[in-house]
Amino acid sequence: MRLRYLSLCLAVLSANALAKTEQVRSPNGQIEVHISDDNHPHYSVFFQGKPVINESKLGFDFQTAPSFRDGFEIVSSSQDNVSSTWQQPWGEEREITDNHHELAVTFNNKAKQQAYTVRIRAFDDGIGFRYEVNNAKPLTVVRELTEFSVAQSEKATAWWIPARGWNRYEYVYNTTPLQQAQLVHTPFTFKNADNVHLSIHEAALVDYSAMVLDQRRPGTFVSNLTPWSDGTAVKTNGQFKTPWRTIQIAKDTVGLLNSRLILNLNEPNKLGDVSWVEPGKYVGIWWGMHINKNTWGSGDKHGATTANTKHYLDFAAKNGFDGVLVEGWNIGWDGDWFFNGDVFSFSKPYDDFDIEAIAQYGKKVGAKLIGHHETSGNVTNYRNQMTDAFELYAKNNVSQVKTGYVADGGNIKRIDADGIARYEWHDGQFMVNEYLDNVKLAAKYKISINTHEPIKDTGLRRTYPNWLAREGARGQEFNAWGTPPNPPEHTTMLAYTRMLAGPMDFTPGIFDMSFNGLGDQTNRPQTTLAKQLALYVVLYSPIQMAADLPENYEARPDAFQFIKDVPTDWEKSIALAGEVGDYVVYTRKAKKHKQYSGNDWFLGAITDEQARDIEVKLDFLEAGKRFEAQIYQDGKDAEWKWKPYELEVRKQIVTQQDTLSLHLATSGGVAIRFKAL
Amino acid sequence: MRLRYLSLCLAVLSANALAKTEQVRSPNGQIEVHISDDNHPHYSVFFQGKPVINESKLGFDFQTAPSFRDGFEIVSSSQDNVSSTWQQPWGEEREITDNHHELAVTFNNKAKQQAYTVRIRAFDDGIGFRYEVNNAKPLTVVRELTEFSVAQSEKATAWWIPARGWNRYEYVYNTTPLQQAQLVHTPFTFKNADNVHLSIHEAALVDYSAMVLDQRRPGTFVSNLTPWSDGTAVKTNGQFKTPWRTIQIAKDTVGLLNSRLILNLNEPNKLGDVSWVEPGKYVGIWWGMHINKNTWGSGDKHGATTANTKHYLDFAAKNGFDGVLVEGWNIGWDGDWFFNGDVFSFSKPYDDFDIEAIAQYGKKVGAKLIGHHETSGNVTNYRNQMTDAFELYAKNNVSQVKTGYVADGGNIKRIDADGIARYEWHDGQFMVNEYLDNVKLAAKYKISINTHEPIKDTGLRRTYPNWLAREGARGQEFNAWGTPPNPPEHTTMLAYTRMLAGPMDFTPGIFDMSFNGLGDQTNRPQTTLAKQLALYVVLYSPIQMAADLPENYEARPDAFQFIKDVPTDWEKSIALAGEVGDYVVYTRKAKKHKQYSGNDWFLGAITDEQARDIEVKLDFLEAGKRFEAQIYQDGKDAEWKWKPYELEVRKQIVTQQDTLSLHLATSGGVAIRFKAL
C-alpha cells in the first residue's frame, strides 16, 4: 500500500492552509530550526541552507492520559537572545561563551484541553530543544515520540554502540552506514555526504529516563526512553521539563570537539562554594587486581592493606599525585559479591586495612586516600549505608570517592517500599535520580564523586561541580581482560563520541604492556607507550589516574616525567585536527593550579592502527613568547604490536611561528609539554 | 570487574549440591533437554551429544508481584510420551505425525510462595517449552526473562529481519554472523559451525504478546515481549500458559523445512465441521492498482467496478480459479484513508460496485467474490462494523476475506473504554487477540480469513482452520514499488525463515516484468518467468493468487498452463534440497480436491542470483507408476535482468528410477507437474 500512501501524504500536507511554522536561527545564521503544527507538530533543522534533519515529529504517549500526537496547533511563541560568558570552577576551559537565540513555542489541542511548550535554543555549534509540560494532573510517560529524521541518510556514516545490552555503554564502536544502526546510545555521532558532522545527545538529564535512539524507519530515529521495571518510562507530577535533546552540528570533525553546547544547556552551579572540589591526579591499588597480581578479597594477595596503601601514598606524594584509590578495603569482596552485593559493608574495613592510620599517614606525607564504594548494583544496600559511609570518609580526610554499579544492564536491584526486589536499568529514571542523590549527599560532606558503570554524562557537572568524572565507556580495564581488548582505534573513536558528553575516567598510563606477552593475541593495551602519555591530553578528565603499578613508572622515568608534569585543569582547550576513529590532535593551556603554572601549553595526538605523520602549526601559542617543547613521541621503529616501548624524548625551543612535524607509529601518539620560558 | 566475576560465577555454581536437574530426550534420542534449578532456573539443549543451546535462564518480571528469578527449586516433575498421527482438513500434508516425549517440571519459591511449571516437549525435529502459571491473583508481565544462549555463537551465521521497525515484518533478510543481530523477529533461523540448522519461534500465540529476540549478550538472546501502550507486556488473570517457545533443530537445511513442530504444538481444531473452508486459487483487482493502472479510490481509473469484476469473474471461471479479490470496493478510499481510517465503511460500496449483481453473476459463472477489509490500523472502526460487514458478505456468497492493517509498527489505533485513542503494536497482546477475534467471528459466517499486515503465524490454523493464510513478510507487491524491490534471493530466504511459521499469501505469478522496464534498476519482480511458476510449489499457501492482469496470462498460455494445473492442497510435502538464501527444491503430492486428481506430484525449485544446475532424483514418486513430467524451466539463455521470459516447456515420461537434470537461470526456477498416467 505504499505508493498510495505517499501521494496521500502529500495531499494532506498541502491542504492545511492554517498551519503555522516558526523559525529560529543561530547567532551566525548558519543553523536554522523550523517548528510547525502542520498535520502533526514537527521540527526540522538546516545547516548552511541545506536540510540536516528533515521533518521530525514531536509528542508523547502516556499511560492513562490521552496522547500528545496530532490535533495540536501553535498558539503562542516567544523569543530570547542570549550573549554571555560564564566561568567553570574546573574544566577543559575556564571561560565558556554562551551565545544563543531561543524560541519557545506553545502547542495547544483545544479538543483535548492539552498543551505543551517546546523551547529551542540555537547556538553556532548546534541546537537543543526540550518539552515543557504544565499539566494539572500527574502524567506517566510511556513513550516519547521525538523523531530525528536524518536528511539523505542513505549517504551518512555513523559511529555507534548498541543500546540495552548487558554491558551498558562498554562496547567497541561500530562504523557503518547510518542506516545499519538499529538501537543505539547517545552521543550518537554521524556525518553526512557533505562532511557535515552531527551528534545527537541530551543535556541536563534529571528526573527523567535516558533516551536511546531507535531507527524506526531508514534514517528516522525515534527517542526510546529506558523503562522502569513496571514498563512505564517517566513518572511525573504533570509539571515537568524534559532533558534538552541536543544536536551538535559542525562543518568538520573538530567543530564537534570544540563545542560547549552540552555545558551551556545545563543549569548553573547549585552548590555554592565548591573550592573543596579538586582536580588532580591519582594512583591506586586497582590495576594489580585486574592483572591478577592482587585480589580485591582477603587473603595473601589482598591489595588493600595498610602497608600497601602507605607504599602508594609515599609514591603519590613523591611524584606530585594527590591521592591513592584503594579498592577491596571493605568487607564483602569475599564470596558471591557479584550475585548478592548485600554483603558489601561501606563502613567496615577488612582487618588488614586500618583506615585511620592511613588517613594520618596521608596527612603526614601529603596525599589522600580516595574512597571506593562498589555497589554491585544493589543500590538499596548502598543507600541504607550511604550516610555512614560518607561520614567515615569525611572523618578520615577522604574528599573523593569512586563509586561502582557493576551489574548487567537491566539488573540493578532495588528493594521497593513493599520490600519487593525490582530490577532497573542503569539509565532508567530511578537510577538517574539515584546517581544524582549520591552526588548531592556527597557534597554535604565536601566529597567529590567519580561514578563507574554510570548514567551517561549530560553535563550536570556544571550544576553539581563535585560530580567530577565517570566511566560510561570501555576504559583501560578492558585491556587487562576484555574480549577483545580495546582495539587501536578505540580512543580515537571515544574522542568524537563518548567524550562529547563530558569527562571520562579512562585511567590511562599503562607502561608495562607485556604482562600477558606482546603481539596482538593477548590482553594488553593495544597502543604504544607514547600514546598512553598522549591520552592525558586527549581524553579530558579533571582527575587522571596513573593507572599502572609504581614499579613500572620507576622503570621508565623518561616517560613518567610527562605524567608528572601534565595538569588536569585547563584554561583553554582546542581540538586542532582529526577524523573520527582515525586520529585526533588536541592542545590545552594549563590553568594556574597547585604546582602547575598557568603558562604552559600541552598537546596530545593519537592515531589508530595506521601510522601517521602530522604537521601541527603552533599558532595557538601566544605571540612573542618562547616555549621549550618537551616532545614525547614514538621512536622511529615503534609499532604497537611488538615495539610499543620505543619512545623518543626531545626538546626544542619553539614560538607561535613554528610548525612541528610529528610522527605517530601504528596505534601511537605524541605528548608535548610547551614549557613557558 | 569481569575477571573476578567469572571466577565467582564458577564458585557459586558448583556450591549448590542440592540442585536438581531433569532431562528429556526426543524419541530418536538425538535431542536432549536439561532443566535445572541450580542457582537460577535454566535449561539447555543438546543435539547429537553436543550443546546447541547453553544454559539459558527462565523467569519473569511482573508489574507488581515479585519477580520469578532466583530462589526457585524443582519440587516435582512428570513425564508423558505421545506417539500419534492426526489429519489436517487442508494443508501442506494431510497426515501429520506427532511423536514426542514430554517433561513437565514445577519450580517453587518457598520464601515468596510462588510457583510455576515449565512443560517441555522434545520431538525429533525440535523442542517446545512453555510456562504454566497458576497464581491466585492477576499477574501483569512486564518482562519475560527466557534466554536462548546459542552455543559457539561466535561461529554461527544467522538470517534475520529487524524487529520493532515501522514496517512490521516487511524487510529484506540480512545474512550476518549471528552476533551482529540486535533485535530480531522470529522465526529466527541460524546455523552453527557443525552445519546444524536451528530456528527459534513460538507456537500457539494466544492472549499473550509476541516475543522478539533481543541479543543481550553475545550469543544470548532474551525474549523481549512487545508492550501495550501502557508499557506492560501481558495482562493475565494469574492463570496462564505462555505460547510454546520453539527451537527447531536439524542436521541440515531440509530438516527445518520438513518439520511439523509448530503444528504439533497447537491445539486441535475447535471449529468442528470446517468443510466450508476451501483451499483454492484466485485472481484479483489488485495488481493493477499497485502498478498505477487503476486506483483504489473512485474516479475514471477505479478498479473495483461491477463491469471490471464481472470481467475477472469470467476469467476466473474460464480458467478454474475459485474467486476474485476486489480491493477498493468500499467507501473510504478517497481522501486521507491512511491517516484516518475511520473513513472506511465496511458495508457501503462505491456507486459503481453493485455487490448483489456481482454475487449473482458469480453464482452464474461459477466463481466467487473475495472480500476485502482494509482497516488502515483503525481497529475500533473495523470492530464496530465487523458484524454488519460479515453479514453483508455472507448474504452475497462471499466465503473468503482478505483483511489489512496498514499502519506503521506501534501505530495501530484503538479507542479504549474511556474514548481515548491508544497506539498499539501489531504484535502486542491487544492485537494478538484482535486478529483472532476477527477469525472467530468470521467462522460464525463460514468465512475464511487471509490477514495482511498480520500477527506472525504460530500455527493457529490447526485450531482455527478458517485462518487460511497471511502476509507477514515482503510479498509480491514490493516488486511494484518497493525500495528496493525484493532481491533475487528473497524467496529463497523466505523458505527457511518466514515459511517455517506457516502459509504465506505471497501472490506469485507476475508474467509481465516490463511495466517499468527490464534490467536491475527498476521496480519489477527480480526473477525469471519460470521462477514465478515455481513459487506456486515452493511457497506453500492453501490459497494462491495468480497476481497479474488477465491479459498478461492470455499472452502466455504456455506458462499459464502450469498455474491452471497446480493445486493448493496437498497430500504430502517434501523439501528435497537447498541452502538458506541460495536455493530450495520442494516436491508435493496433490490431494484429491475439486478438479485436482490425487495422483499427481508437483515440483518447484528456485535459485537466488546464481544460476544453478541441479539433479533431482525422483525417488519420491511411487514405485511402478509412470508420470508425464511437464517441465517448465528457464530457457538456456534466460537470466533475470534482461531475459526473464525465456521459458522452455517440455514433456518427458518418468518413473521413480529417474533423475532429472534441471537448469535454473539467475533468479530462476523450474516448475514441474508429474501427471500420473
Side-chain angles (χ1 to χ4, degrees):
Chain A
M1 296 293 174
R2 214 61 49 212
L3 198 72
R4 175 80 181 170
Y5 153 45
L6 280 172
S7 58
L8 285 163
C9 269
L10 295 168
V12 171
L13 288 171
S14 57
N16 191 352
L18 298 171
K20 282 201 218 66
T21 298
E22 307 257 356
Q23 303 182 17
V24 59
R25 296 175 112 189
S26 59
N28 68 6
Q30 298 222 328
I31 295 175
E32 197 170 305
V33 184
H34 293 191
I35 184 163
S36 171
D37 60 13
D38 190 358
N39 186 40
H40 190 294
H42 63 270
Y43 75 99
S44 50
V45 188
F46 300 80
F47 179 65
Q48 298 181 330
K50 296 173 80 167
V52 287
I53 302 290
N54 289 333
E55 291 185 2
S56 300
K57 293 191 183 135
L58 298 162
F60 291 94
D61 286 337
F62 301 105
Q63 187 188 30
T64 49
S67 294
F68 289 179
R69 283 189 176 224
D70 52 358
F72 283 79
E73 47 171 8
I74 292 174
V75 293
S76 66
S77 69
S78 65
Q79 286 131 29
D80 189 21
N81 292 347
V82 167
S83 179
S84 65
T85 61
W86 58 277
Q87 310 271 334
Q88 296 199 86
W90 52 263
E92 61 275 70
E93 202 145 78
R94 185 176 49 81
E95 186 173 275
I96 308 288
T97 300
D98 179 358
N99 291 344
H100 67 262
H101 293 169
E102 178 180 292
L103 168 68
V105 158
T106 300
F107 290 93
N108 186 265
N109 183 323
K110 213 154 119 185
K112 294 189 187 157
Q113 294 187 315
Q114 294 175 320
Y116 64 94
T117 295
V118 178
R119 187 175 305 275
I120 304 165
R121 288 186 185 162
F123 301 74
D124 290 346
D125 55 359
I127 72 159
F129 63 91
R130 72 177 181 195
Y131 299 82
E132 300 176 1
V133 179
N134 202 357
N135 203 58
K137 295 186 190 165
L139 288 170
T140 300
V141 178
V142 179
R143 295 186 203 164
E144 183 183 316
L145 305 173
T146 308
E147 292 181 341
F148 302 86
S149 187
V150 177
Q152 300 205 298
S153 64
E154 65 283 358
K155 298 180 190 164
T157 301
W159 303 276
W160 55 273
I161 52 173
R164 303 270 164 80
W166 73 287
N167 219 4
R168 306 166 307 268
Y169 304 105
E170 292 170 27
Y171 288 89
V172 170
Y173 277 79
N174 295 296
T175 301
T176 68
L178 178 136
Q179 289 191 357
Q180 284 184 22
Q182 190 176 10
L183 194 68
V184 298
H185 274 306
T186 76
F188 174 61
T189 303
F190 57 99
K191 71 177 175 183
N192 69 18
D194 298 325
N195 207 50
V196 176
H197 283 68
L198 298 94
S199 192
I200 298 172
H201 188 46
E202 41 184 327
L205 171 57
V206 174
D207 200 16
Y208 202 85
S209 82
M211 169 181 81
V212 307
L213 296 175
D214 191 340
Q215 188 164 189
R216 192 66 60 73
R217 280 176 174 268
T220 298
F221 294 83
V222 183
S223 54
N224 181 319
L225 300 180
T226 298
W228 281 80
S229 53
D230 69 2
T232 63
V234 186
K235 302 176 191 300
T236 84
N237 66 0
Q239 290 113 53
F240 67 98
K241 296 174 180 161
T242 67
W244 295 91
R245 278 74 187 79
T246 61
I247 309 173
Q248 282 182 240
I249 307 169
K251 61 175 172 38
D252 55 26
T253 58
V254 296
L256 288 181
L257 306 188
N258 290 321
S259 163
R260 305 287 172 242
L261 182 77
I262 301 297
L263 283 170
N264 275 329
L265 286 166
N266 270 268
E267 297 293 306
N269 176 17
K270 282 188 156 95
L271 295 183
D273 166 47
V274 289
S275 56
W276 48 271
V277 178
E278 292 183 320
K281 288 179 296 196
Y282 70 103
V283 291
I285 297 170
W286 174 75
W287 184 246
M289 281 86 87
H290 285 278
I291 60 171
N292 289 317
K293 291 187 71 132
N294 294 112
T295 60
W296 281 275
S298 59
D300 57 7
K301 297 209 294 180
H302 188 214
T305 64
T306 307
N308 201 16
T309 306
K310 285 182 176 177
H311 169 61
Y312 272 78
L313 284 166
D314 285 339
F315 178 82
K318 185 168 128 192
N319 292 291
F321 292 87
D322 306 287
V324 175
L325 167 71
V326 179
E327 296 196 2
W329 66 274
N330 55 326
I331 302 283
W333 290 95
D334 301 328
D336 64 341
W337 70 268
F338 188 80
F339 296 111
N340 188 4
D342 288 353
V343 301
F344 275 127
S345 164
F346 297 98
S347 44
K348 290 198 189 66
Y350 280 113
D351 286 342
D352 55 0
F353 188 83
D354 184 341
I355 191 172
E356 287 173 8
I358 284 161
Q360 290 310 316
Y361 192 81
K363 279 189 186 143
K364 197 177 89 171
V365 301
K368 292 181 172 185
L369 175 67
I370 293 172
H372 182 233
H373 288 162
E374 174 54 60
T375 70
S376 72
N378 282 266
V379 294
T380 306
N381 179 52
Y382 181 36
R383 195 178 251 283
N384 289 343
Q385 302 183 53
M386 212 186 284
T387 298
D388 289 348
F390 283 137
E391 277 182 2
L392 175 71
Y393 276 160
K395 224 169 50 174
N396 286 288
N397 203 31
V398 172
S399 59
Q400 192 183 308
V401 175
K402 170 182 172 180
T403 58
Y405 296 80
V406 173
D408 280 12
N411 277 299
I412 290 266
K413 180 175 160 188
R414 69 175 175 100
I415 309 301
D416 73 8
D418 301 315
I420 297 172
R422 301 293 176 200
Y423 299 88
E424 306 295 346
W425 289 91
H426 288 70
D427 61 348
Q429 184 185 17
F430 173 79
M431 280 309 295
V432 164
N433 288 337
E434 199 75 356
Y435 286 115
L436 184 55
D437 283 352
N438 169 255
V439 166
K440 287 179 183 174
L441 182 63
K444 292 191 178 10
Y445 293 92
K446 294 191 160 65
I447 287 175
S448 297
I449 296 293
N450 167 21
T451 316
H452 278 233
E453 297 83 34
I455 179 63
K456 61 183 166 179
D457 198 331
T458 60
L460 287 166
R461 59 188 163 115
R462 179 175 181 186
T463 318
Y464 303 97
N466 68 320
W467 206 346
L468 281 177
R470 70 193 76 199
E471 195 185 32
R474 262 168 161 256
Q476 183 83 269
E477 65 185 14
F478 277 80
N479 299 325
W481 39 254
T483 315
N486 297 328
E489 70 168 15
H490 184 63
T491 45
T492 60
M493 280 290 194
L494 289 182
Y496 300 90
T497 55
R498 165 66 182 83
M499 302 308 295
L500 300 182
M504 179 182 175
D505 185 37
F506 180 87
T507 66
I510 296 300
F511 275 22
D512 171 19
M513 321 266 188
S514 309
F515 50 93
N516 287 318
L518 290 175
D520 61 358
Q521 298 297 310
T522 69
N523 278 110
R524 54 161 280 204
Q526 293 194 346
T527 78
T528 64
L529 181 54
K531 187 172 180 180
Q532 290 291 316
L533 300 180
L535 291 175
Y536 286 90
V537 182
V538 172
L539 298 180
Y540 168 63
S541 177
I543 49 166
Q544 293 279 22
M545 187 179 191
D548 212 336
L549 314 174
E551 52 262 41
N552 294 328
Y553 294 124
E554 284 162 348
R556 287 301 300 258
D558 58 334
F560 190 48
Q561 188 59 45
F562 182 81
I563 298 182
K564 290 168 65 171
D565 292 339
V566 73
T568 63
D569 201 17
W570 307 99
E571 175 69 21
K572 195 164 181 54
S573 289
I574 311 168
L576 296 173
E579 290 298 331
V580 182
D582 291 350
Y583 75 105
V584 58
V585 185
Y586 259 103
T587 186
R588 304 187 197 267
K589 182 175 180 182
K591 197 164 87 182
K592 191 162 158 50
H593 173 71
K594 289 186 185 166
Q595 70 265 42
Y596 309 104
S597 89
N599 299 314
D600 291 354
W601 285 79
F602 286 77
L603 183 140
I606 58 173
T607 183
D608 64 358
E609 64 281 352
Q610 269 199 46
R612 232 170 270 274
D613 290 297
I614 57 175
E615 305 266 303
V616 182
K617 291 174 69 165
L618 303 183
D619 53 2
F620 51 85
L621 298 173
E622 292 91 349
K625 289 177 80 169
R626 288 164 70 248
F627 298 82
E628 177 184 75
Q630 300 171 351
I631 301 170
Y632 301 75
Q633 70 176 50
D634 292 308
K636 67 173 177 53
D637 291 331
E639 51 84 12
W640 78 263
K641 294 183 193 180
W642 298 103
K643 294 185 179 172
Y645 302 122
E646 316 241 336
L647 182 74
E648 186 189 295
V649 184
R650 60 186 177 82
K651 296 179 182 184
Q652 181 179 336
I653 306 296
V654 297
T655 71
Q656 190 200 54
Q657 305 302 314
D658 291 309
T659 298
L660 291 176
S661 293
L662 304 168
H663 172 75
L664 285 66
T666 62
S667 199
V670 60
I672 306 178
R673 174 187 180 190
F674 297 95
K675 182 175 171 178
L677 297 174
Chain B
M1 298 290 173
R2 213 63 47 212
L3 198 74
R4 176 81 182 169
Y5 153 46
L6 280 174
S7 59
L8 284 163
C9 269
L10 295 168
V12 171
L13 286 172
S14 58
N16 191 353
L18 299 171
K20 283 199 218 65
T21 299
E22 306 258 356
Q23 301 181 18
V24 61
R25 295 175 113 189
S26 59
N28 68 5
Q30 298 221 330
I31 295 174
E32 197 169 304
V33 184
H34 294 192
I35 184 162
S36 171
D37 60 14
D38 190 359
N39 186 40
H40 190 295
H42 64 270
Y43 75 100
S44 51
V45 188
F46 300 80
F47 178 64
Q48 298 180 332
K50 297 173 79 167
V52 286
I53 302 291
N54 289 334
E55 290 184 3
S56 300
K57 292 189 181 137
L58 299 162
F60 291 94
D61 286 339
F62 301 105
Q63 187 188 30
T64 49
S67 294
F68 289 359
R69 283 191 175 223
D70 52 356
F72 283 79
E73 47 170 9
I74 291 174
V75 293
S76 66
S77 70
S78 66
Q79 286 130 31
D80 189 22
N81 293 346
V82 167
S83 179
S84 66
T85 60
W86 56 279
Q87 310 270 334
Q88 296 199 85
W90 54 262
E92 62 275 72
E93 202 144 78
R94 185 177 48 84
E95 187 174 273
I96 308 289
T97 300
D98 178 359
N99 289 347
H100 68 262
H101 293 171
E102 179 180 291
L103 168 67
V105 158
T106 300
F107 290 94
N108 187 267
N109 184 323
K110 214 156 117 185
K112 295 189 186 156
Q113 295 189 316
Q114 294 176 319
Y116 63 94
T117 295
V118 178
R119 186 176 305 275
I120 305 166
R121 290 187 184 161
F123 301 76
D124 290 346
D125 54 0
I127 71 160
F129 63 90
R130 71 177 181 197
Y131 299 82
E132 299 175 2
V133 179
N134 201 356
N135 203 57
K137 296 184 189 169
L139 288 170
T140 299
V141 178
V142 178
R143 294 188 206 163
E144 185 184 315
L145 306 173
T146 308
E147 292 182 342
F148 301 86
S149 186
V150 177
Q152 299 205 299
S153 64
E154 66 284 358
K155 298 179 191 166
T157 301
W159 302 276
W160 55 274
I161 52 173
R164 303 268 163 80
W166 74 286
N167 218 4
R168 306 168 306 270
Y169 303 106
E170 293 171 25
Y171 288 90
V172 170
Y173 277 79
N174 295 295
T175 302
T176 69
L178 178 136
Q179 290 191 356
Q180 281 183 25
Q182 191 177 6
L183 195 68
V184 297
H185 274 307
T186 76
F188 174 61
T189 303
F190 58 98
K191 70 177 177 185
N192 70 18
D194 298 325
N195 207 50
V196 176
H197 283 68
L198 299 93
S199 192
I200 298 172
H201 188 45
E202 40 183 329
L205 171 57
V206 174
D207 200 17
Y208 202 85
S209 83
M211 169 181 81
V212 307
L213 297 175
D214 189 341
Q215 187 163 188
R216 192 65 62 72
R217 279 178 175 267
T220 298
F221 294 83
V222 182
S223 53
N224 181 320
L225 300 179
T226 298
W228 281 80
S229 53
D230 69 0
T232 63
V234 186
K235 302 175 190 302
T236 84
N237 66 2
Q239 291 111 54
F240 67 97
K241 295 174 180 158
T242 67
W244 295 91
R245 277 75 185 81
T246 61
I247 310 174
Q248 281 182 242
I249 308 169
K251 62 174 173 36
D252 54 27
T253 57
V254 295
L256 288 182
L257 307 188
N258 290 320
S259 164
R260 305 286 172 244
L261 182 77
I262 301 298
L263 283 170
N264 275 328
L265 286 166
N266 271 269
E267 297 292 307
N269 176 18
K270 282 188 156 98
L271 296 183
D273 166 48
V274 290
S275 55
W276 47 271
V277 177
E278 292 184 319
K281 291 179 295 196
Y282 69 103
V283 291
I285 297 170
W286 174 75
W287 184 247
M289 281 86 87
H290 284 277
I291 61 172
N292 290 318
K293 291 188 73 130
N294 295 109
T295 60
W296 280 275
S298 58
D300 57 7
K301 298 210 293 180
H302 188 214
T305 65
T306 307
N308 201 16
T309 307
K310 286 180 175 177
H311 169 60
Y312 272 77
L313 285 165
D314 285 338
F315 178 82
K318 185 171 128 191
N319 291 292
F321 292 87
D322 306 286
V324 175
L325 167 71
V326 179
E327 296 196 1
W329 66 274
N330 56 325
I331 301 282
W333 291 94
D334 301 329
D336 64 341
W337 71 267
F338 188 80
F339 296 111
N340 188 4
D342 287 351
V343 301
F344 275 128
S345 164
F346 297 98
S347 42
K348 293 200 188 68
Y350 279 112
D351 287 343
D352 55 359
F353 187 82
D354 185 341
I355 191 172
E356 288 174 11
I358 283 161
Q360 290 310 316
Y361 192 81
K363 278 185 186 150
K364 196 179 89 170
V365 302
K368 291 181 173 185
L369 175 66
I370 293 172
H372 182 234
H373 289 163
E374 175 54 61
T375 69
S376 71
N378 282 269
V379 294
T380 306
N381 178 51
Y382 182 37
R383 194 179 252 283
N384 290 342
Q385 304 183 51
M386 212 185 284
T387 299
D388 290 348
F390 282 136
E391 277 181 3
L392 174 71
Y393 276 161
K395 224 169 53 174
N396 285 289
N397 201 31
V398 171
S399 60
Q400 194 182 307
V401 174
K402 169 182 171 180
T403 59
Y405 296 80
V406 174
D408 280 13
N411 278 299
I412 291 265
K413 180 176 161 188
R414 68 176 174 100
I415 308 302
D416 74 6
D418 301 315
I420 297 172
R422 302 292 176 199
Y423 299 89
E424 307 293 348
W425 289 90
H426 287 69
D427 61 346
Q429 184 185 17
F430 172 79
M431 280 308 295
V432 164
N433 287 337
E434 199 75 356
Y435 286 116
L436 185 55
D437 283 352
N438 169 255
V439 165
K440 287 179 184 174
L441 183 63
K444 292 194 180 9
Y445 294 91
K446 294 192 161 63
I447 288 173
S448 297
I449 296 293
N450 168 20
T451 316
H452 278 232
E453 298 82 33
I455 179 63
K456 61 183 168 178
D457 198 329
T458 61
L460 289 165
R461 59 187 164 115
R462 178 176 181 187
T463 318
Y464 303 96
N466 69 321
W467 206 347
L468 280 177
R470 70 193 76 196
E471 194 185 35
R474 262 170 162 255
Q476 183 82 268
E477 65 186 12
F478 278 81
N479 299 324
W481 40 253
T483 314
N486 297 328
E489 69 168 17
H490 184 63
T491 46
T492 60
M493 280 289 196
L494 290 182
Y496 300 90
T497 54
R498 165 66 182 83
M499 302 309 293
L500 300 182
M504 179 181 176
D505 185 37
F506 180 87
T507 66
I510 296 301
F511 276 21
D512 172 19
M513 321 268 187
S514 310
F515 49 94
N516 287 319
L518 291 176
D520 61 358
Q521 299 296 310
T522 69
N523 278 110
R524 53 160 282 202
Q526 294 193 345
T527 77
T528 63
L529 181 54
K531 188 172 181 180
Q532 291 290 317
L533 301 180
L535 291 175
Y536 286 91
V537 181
V538 171
L539 299 181
Y540 168 63
S541 178
I543 48 167
Q544 294 278 22
M545 188 178 193
D548 212 336
L549 314 174
E551 53 262 40
N552 294 327
Y553 294 125
E554 285 161 348
R556 286 302 298 258
D558 58 333
F560 190 47
Q561 188 61 44
F562 183 80
I563 298 180
K564 290 168 67 171
D565 291 340
V566 73
T568 63
D569 200 19
W570 307 100
E571 175 69 23
K572 193 163 182 55
S573 290
I574 311 169
L576 295 174
E579 291 298 331
V580 181
D582 291 350
Y583 75 105
V584 60
V585 184
Y586 259 102
T587 186
R588 306 186 195 267
K589 181 176 181 184
K591 197 163 89 181
K592 189 160 160 48
H593 173 72
K594 290 187 184 167
Q595 70 266 42
Y596 309 104
S597 89
N599 299 315
D600 292 353
W601 286 78
F602 287 78
L603 183 141
I606 58 173
T607 183
D608 64 0
E609 64 281 351
Q610 268 198 46
R612 231 171 270 275
D613 290 297
I614 57 176
E615 306 266 304
V616 182
K617 291 173 71 164
L618 304 183
D619 52 3
F620 52 85
L621 298 172
E622 291 91 349
K625 289 177 80 170
R626 287 165 71 247
F627 298 82
E628 178 184 72
Q630 299 171 351
I631 302 170
Y632 301 74
Q633 72 177 49
D634 291 308
K636 67 175 178 52
D637 291 331
E639 50 85 13
W640 78 264
K641 293 181 193 180
W642 298 103
K643 294 185 179 174
Y645 302 122
E646 315 240 337
L647 181 76
E648 186 188 296
V649 185
R650 59 187 177 82
K651 296 180 183 182
Q652 180 181 336
I653 307 296
V654 297
T655 71
Q656 190 200 54
Q657 306 301 315
D658 291 309
T659 298
L660 290 176
S661 293
L662 304 168
H663 172 74
L664 284 68
T666 62
S667 198
V670 61
I672 305 176
R673 174 189 181 188
F674 296 96
K675 182 175 172 179
L677 297 174

